[in-house]
Amino acid sequence: MRKFSVKILCPVVGAFLLSGFIAGSSLYAQSAAGASMHNKNDPWWRHAVFYEVYPRSFADSNNDGIGDLNGIASKLGYLHELGVDAIWITPCYPSPQKDFGYDVSDYENIDPMYGTLTDFDHLEQQARKDNIRIVMDFVMNHTSDQHPWFLDSRSSRTSAHRDWYIWRDGKADGQPPNNWISDFGGSAWTFDAKTGQYYYHYFEVAQPDLNWRNPAVEKAMFGVTRFWYGHGVAGFRLDAVDTLFEDPLLRNNPIGKDGEMINKYNDNLEENHVVLRRLRKVADSYDAVLIGETWTDNIQQLKQYYGANDDELQLPMNFMFTTINVLSAPKFRRQIGMMESSGEWPVWVISNHDMPRSYDRYGDGKHNDQIAKLMAALYLTLRGTPIMYYGEEIGMENNDPKRRQDVLDPLGKTGWPKNKGRDGERTPMQWNAEKNAGFTTGKPWLPIPPSYRTHNVATEMRDPNSILNFYRHLLELRHHNQALLYGDYVALNQNDPDVLSYLRRYRNQAVLVVLNMSGETRQVPLDLSPYGFGSGKATPLLSTLAIAPPSGHLTRVSLDPYSAYIAQVDLSESSQR
Ligand code: GLC
Ligand code: CA
């Protein structure tokens, strides 16, 4: 497959949360890097909140209109205060930028538009002081066609790097070797006149696939990870990890009933796992984490990426949520249930640089801010590791190009007008209500939507009911609440068509999460006795209800449209006996 007004209800809890924010830092430092770090059964990445930074769009330090590493360094204070433990930076290596960095021409350097290796080291050291780890993006499947390896490879059939890529003769009639199609459209094969053969590219023409069957490729690429571990990175997000291997016989892919190609022979091949096990060994020797861009059809396929002996990826992303494009309690419940039944540690994602922002995907045009909070309450209270996308926390919206000539993303150029590409979800971070949202004084590389005037960091910081403050409270809760850290997941009211409710249970305490995914007020019955909390006393932790129920025994709760209610449930001393 390829492709959410804060009210702190309880004054005591409120005071705690706020003091946490001010003390910043010390409270937070303990949870992020302290106790859990050296415990093998409870490694740091399990409770870390990851945050995806698209470097072109985060912060521009030299005002050329393009974000850069010094820009990211200047915003570490913000990320720290938000409650982020690790940032994943999408590719910032030297690149012709045909696919905005996912076409790498040198894996062991920084593109001058983003800075220098020295800037990277500075960023890494500064981040370390704030207990923020750095995860780099490892583009394993392909290089740029301008990478010296490919330049050599295409120079002659006998060049030293010829076999580093996948070259084949065309068919007798000159047609491509098989029917495989590129994710960017057209044949996945491009004819290179110089040597009279085709090369294979799962993605854009300028992104030739590496031949992972060649041990020299593995050696060089594993060396790249060692290089960055040497620069202090905490791990990698592995790009397009499902497409590393292709069928050696290059058999034609079958076509499904819907007329779409089924990528049987060039996606999710067994051989991927063999390489991942070896890559994990290297990662383990640096105590590093591997996150996967694991597009899978189902949970069984996803499960394989953890490795039969937990010896592959610690954090293969579950993209199933991102395929749900409507607010639907049954759909989310079902996906959570499947993930939970896999027995693996979940990785929750609702947005990234390849799909329309969650703000628009789930928003109904009228209650988008409410819905943004609702979605945040969902993926930040589930068992597992969440990966945020920059701007989600302020309710950034997609800003799709209006005219074809404005499109920058290669996918949008070929897909227009049906597919406007990914520019819309990659626009500059909105820092304040000033010119260019405070991102740059130059001309931003992509246009900023008008909503920046209300949806920006500075404005939302001042508003206690903002999406941003809701995220901050949620992240604070996640870092300190035992049930959210260690609790199991128990689905409640499993037949409710509108309200998603669950418990996170840990010993004598639980956190109750009730999310109204409908535009109507809903009465939700709460019988927690089957789960051992029938006599529990609920104390509201965080909610978007206009009037939340007071602390005490709860048998039902009334939920406003699109509201979220999160409460701590404790068993009293007497009921424990
Ligand atoms: C991944 C990236 C995407 C890129 C593609 C090719 O899917 O997330 O942005 O275009 O790989 O590298
Ligand atoms: Ca810049």
Side-chain angles (χ1 to χ4, degrees):
M1 181 179 82
R2 294 292 298 174
K3 21 260 144 26
F4 27 68
S5 48
V6 175
K7 292 223 165 40
I8 300 176
L9 302 155
C10 159
V12 179
V13 173
F16 164 73
L17 287 170
L18 292 173
S19 69
F21 289 142
I22 296 155
S25 321
S26 54
L27 237 179
Y28 169 68
Q30 280 171 9
S31 72
S36 63
M37 186 174 158
H38 299 294
N39 182 343
K40 246 198 137 202
N41 298 320
D42 195 24
W44 67 272
W45 43 263
R46 283 200 171 210
H47 305 299
V49 172
F50 288 77
Y51 183 99
E52 177 185 358
V53 172
Y54 198 72
R56 287 184 84 83
S57 288
F58 201 58
D60 180 15
S61 72
N62 64 350
N63 294 312
D64 61 355
I66 296 172
D68 42 58
L69 296 187
N70 288 337
I72 300 173
S74 74
K75 300 298 184 185
L76 287 167
Y78 165 73
L79 292 169
H80 177 81
E81 214 186 329
L82 176 60
V84 164
D85 306 286
I87 54 173
W88 145 36
I89 308 178
T90 63
C92 51
Y93 317 106
S95 158
Q97 304 288 328
K98 286 258 169 68
D99 188 17
F100 297 103
Y102 282 98
D103 48 326
V104 180
S105 55
D106 179 357
Y107 286 95
E108 300 185 357
N109 215 330
I110 297 294
D111 193 293
M113 82 170 64
Y114 298 128
T116 62
L117 254 185
T118 308
D119 294 335
F120 178 84
D121 291 336
H122 171 76
L123 170 63
E124 196 278 329
Q125 282 150 20
Q126 293 302 114
R128 193 172 285 263
K129 285 190 198 148
D130 279 332
N131 289 304
I132 295 176
R133 289 175 167 86
I134 297 189
V135 168
M136 292 295 261
D137 207 313
F138 189 35
V139 188
M140 301 175 73
N141 176 69
H142 49 268
T143 69
S144 159
D145 63 353
Q146 300 306 306
H147 194 292
W149 299 339
F150 190 72
L151 293 176
D152 182 56
S153 185
R154 81 190 319 179
S155 68
S156 91
R157 289 201 186 197
T158 56
S159 75
H161 293 90
R162 184 66 174 182
D163 192 39
W164 283 43
Y165 295 84
I166 300 164
W167 292 98
R168 285 294 187 289
D169 290 332
K171 290 194 182 143
D173 62 357
Q175 290 299 303
N178 65 23
N179 72 348
W180 298 353
I181 49 170
S182 152
D183 226 24
F184 280 62
S187 171
W189 298 93
T190 291
F191 186 72
D192 204 42
K194 175 125 202 268
T195 56
Q197 283 191 312
Y198 283 87
Y199 69 87
Y200 171 70
H201 50 91
Y202 189 95
F203 296 95
E204 230 257 331
V205 181
Q207 294 169 305
D209 273 51
L210 282 161
N211 175 16
W212 277 89
R213 295 188 191 274
N214 182 341
V217 166
E218 180 178 301
K219 190 163 179 249
M221 291 297 275
F222 282 19
V224 169
T225 69
R226 293 183 192 277
F227 174 86
W228 289 105
Y229 292 138
H231 282 268
V233 315
F236 289 93
R237 173 262 189 188
L238 309 179
D239 184 59
V241 73
D242 50 323
T243 60
L244 298 183
F245 280 85
E246 298 76 32
D247 176 38
L249 301 175
L250 303 186
R251 280 170 278 191
N252 278 336
N253 276 330
I255 310 292
K257 281 189 213 110
D258 55 359
E260 289 236 344
M261 180 165 288
I262 300 168
N263 291 343
K264 176 171 180 189
Y265 293 115
N266 59 343
D267 199 358
N268 274 308
L269 266 64
E270 187 49 42
E271 289 94 321
N272 292 347
H273 298 281
V274 181
V275 160
L276 292 178
R277 287 196 281 275
R278 288 201 288 262
L279 188 66
R280 173 65 181 273
K281 287 215 172 84
V282 181
D284 280 346
S285 68
Y286 293 90
D287 200 15
V289 66
L290 297 179
I291 304 173
E293 191 205 8
T294 35
W295 282 98
T296 56
D297 292 327
N298 50 53
I299 295 288
Q300 284 66 38
Q301 223 172 40
L302 182 66
K303 190 172 161 70
Q304 289 175 13
Y305 281 98
Y306 290 85
N309 301 306
D310 281 335
D311 50 0
E312 295 187 29
L313 310 182
Q314 294 101 323
L315 300 177
M317 296 183 203
N318 177 345
F319 284 113
M320 272 30 127
F321 266 16
T322 71
T323 63
I324 302 174
N325 289 326
V326 288
L327 269 186
S328 157
K331 287 192 175 164
F332 285 110
R333 189 183 295 124
R334 191 164 163 262
Q335 287 297 345
I336 300 164
M338 288 197 290
M339 184 70 230
E340 284 289 337
S341 64
S342 75
E344 304 290 354
W345 184 260
V347 183
W348 302 112
V349 178
I350 62 169
S351 239
N352 71 21
H353 63 285
D354 291 328
M355 64 188 70
R357 283 188 174 273
S358 56
Y359 189 80
D360 310 73
R361 283 212 328 275
Y362 301 112
D364 66 349
K366 280 192 190 144
H367 307 90
N368 288 28
D369 287 11
Q370 283 289 97
I371 294 170
K373 291 174 192 168
L374 183 70
M375 288 306 295
L378 170 62
Y379 82 109
L380 296 171
T381 61
L382 287 171
R383 196 182 69 91
T385 300
I387 304 183
M388 297 172 57
Y389 183 47
Y390 82 95
E392 237 164 49
E393 76 275 25
I394 52 172
M396 272 175 66
E397 65 177 0
N398 249 67
N399 192 28
D400 288 335
K402 313 280 178 293
R403 310 176 305 177
R404 189 185 186 275
Q405 61 260 44
D406 299 331
V407 178
L408 299 182
D409 177 21
L411 210 54
K413 287 182 178 163
T414 53
W416 191 272
K418 211 175 146 212
N419 182 347
K420 297 192 165 77
R422 300 164 293 180
D423 295 342
E425 56 260 30
R426 299 174 174 181
T427 61
M429 178 68 178
Q430 298 161 191
W431 294 105
N432 57 45
E434 286 152 42
K435 192 169 178 244
N436 299 330
F439 165 73
T440 185
T441 58
K443 183 176 185 292
W445 77 286
L446 281 176
I448 297 166
S451 61
Y452 83 88
R453 291 193 187 86
T454 49
H455 291 72
N456 65 69
V457 171
T459 304
E460 292 193 40
M461 276 287 186
R462 290 191 296 264
D463 174 5
N465 292 327
S466 66
I467 299 171
L468 179 57
N469 277 316
F470 192 73
Y471 264 88
R472 292 171 69 200
H473 293 321
L474 270 170
L475 294 192
E476 182 72 12
L477 270 179
R478 265 192 79 86
H479 282 111
H480 300 288
N481 185 290
Q482 301 278 302
L484 289 179
L485 283 167
Y486 310 114
D488 63 1
Y489 164 88
V490 184
L492 304 174
N493 299 344
Q494 298 223 43
N495 296 318
D496 193 314
D498 296 321
V499 184
L500 184 65
S501 324
Y502 48 89
L503 277 183
R504 296 286 316 280
R505 283 186 314 187
Y506 183 67
R507 297 187 178 155
N508 295 331
Q509 44 174 312
V511 165
L512 168 69
V513 181
V514 189
L515 307 169
N516 184 1
M517 298 200 159
S518 81
E520 317 276 322
T521 301
R522 288 283 176 253
Q523 307 296 327
V524 184
L526 291 168
D527 178 9
L528 305 182
S529 45
Y531 318 104
F533 285 85
S535 60
K537 181 172 164 266
T539 312
L541 291 170
L542 194 58
S543 113
T544 60
L545 303 183
I547 305 163
S551 295
H553 184 69
L554 266 190
T555 52
R556 59 171 50 244
V557 58
S558 174
L559 273 274
D560 303 332
Y562 304 118
S563 64
Y565 170 74
I566 305 172
Q568 175 82 23
V569 185
D570 291 298
L571 290 178
S572 64
E573 291 292 327
S574 59
S575 64
Q576 281 175 52
R577 265 184 248 125

